[in-house]
Amino acid sequence: MSQADFQARIKKIEIVNKVLTDSWAQSIRVSLEDIELTNDNLLELRRFRPNETVDVVLKSVQPDLFELAAKRRGGAVNLEDGEDNEELVTFTEEDAGQPVT
């Protein structure tokens, strides 16, 4: 199974909904820019054919606050379990006249 892993910046996401006489169809087009390809990745990418079914995973390179909190806790963050998640982000407000303790 061929696999081409590379980093790129999303330039544009286009979602098109077409209403037909008795059904509808949806297509999504993602345009990439600033693609960082090596020769090996380019060779793997060229092995894919048009209309071939592939798995697509989009993962942000920049971590978000929930991922950072999960790494500090040593586990995954589940926002659906109903537990109190207020401790994920803590803001401290300090008075300019008093030192922070």
Side-chain angles (χ1 to χ4, degrees):
M1 179 168 80
S2 297
Q3 180 173 338
D5 293 329
F6 54 88
Q7 288 187 0
R9 183 180 314 270
I10 295 178
K11 179 179 181 181
K12 182 179 179 182
I13 299 174
E14 180 181 354
I15 301 172
V16 177
N17 294 313
K18 294 181 181 179
V19 179
L20 306 172
T21 55
D22 58 347
S23 63
W24 64 280
Q26 184 178 58
S27 65
I28 300 174
R29 183 177 302 151
V30 179
S31 299
L32 303 175
E33 66 180 2
D34 297 336
I35 302 170
E36 296 178 11
L37 285 175
T38 63
N39 287 336
D40 295 333
N41 290 341
L42 184 59
L43 290 174
E44 289 295 325
L45 189 61
R46 294 178 88 187
R47 291 183 184 180
F48 293 101
R49 296 183 189 100
N51 297 324
E52 180 179 356
T53 303
V54 296
D55 288 328
V56 177
V57 176
L58 297 176
K59 186 174 94 174
S60 179
V61 174
Q62 182 178 2
D64 61 12
L65 292 176
F66 296 115
E67 290 174 357
L68 292 174
K71 286 182 182 177
R72 288 183 184 158
R73 289 183 176 178
V77 174
N78 185 2
L79 297 178
E80 303 291 327
D81 61 3
E83 75 178 45
D84 188 15
N85 290 314
E86 290 183 17
E87 62 190 88
L88 289 177
V89 180
T90 304
F91 295 98
T92 305
E93 190 173 314
E94 62 183 68
D95 188 6
Q98 296 182 6
V100 177
T101 57

